[in-house]
Amino acid sequence: YLASSNCYFVEKDGVQIGIGMINKNRIDVIAAVAKGAGKDVLLALCNGLQESVIELTVAEGNEKAIKLYEAMGFSTTEVLETWYQIF
């Protein structure tokens, strides 16, 4: 955990499985770095949130992530029209 930036390195059994960045009730960044670890990474990040209502954003074409989030009880509340590439 990097307190100054709310960035988290998620580990399971001593092995890094993902990273993420959270802000109160919002997951700003999530990335699984181990195959099949998406659910575990998301659960770990959710445990670090301060609110009971959780928000996250996923690219419309990321079907694998959308299926995972829906299976975990998330639902679509808004579709963003504009995306920006930052690198």
Side-chain angles (χ1 to χ4, degrees):
Y1 168 65
L2 302 176
S4 63
S5 63
N6 294 327
C7 292
Y8 291 82
F9 296 93
V10 180
E11 293 184 354
K12 183 175 183 180
D13 300 326
V15 176
Q16 185 176 344
I17 61 169
I19 58 174
M21 188 164 78
I22 62 175
N23 184 1
K24 292 185 181 177
N25 72 324
R26 190 178 68 239
I27 298 173
D28 292 326
V29 176
I30 180 173
V33 295
K35 185 175 177 134
K39 182 177 181 178
D40 289 331
V41 173
L42 182 56
L43 288 173
L45 294 172
C46 288
N47 285 332
L49 296 172
Q50 299 173 7
E51 306 289 334
S52 60
V53 176
I54 300 169
E55 297 177 12
L56 59 86
T57 304
V58 60
E60 190 174 39
N62 191 344
E63 294 297 325
K64 189 173 181 179
I66 292 169
K67 287 180 184 180
L68 170 64
Y69 302 152
E70 288 174 346
M72 294 179 69
F74 287 89
S75 59
T76 302
T77 58
E78 180 181 6
V79 176
L80 303 175
E81 296 290 326
T82 305
W83 287 89
Y84 298 94
Q85 185 172 351
I86 57 173
F87 52 89

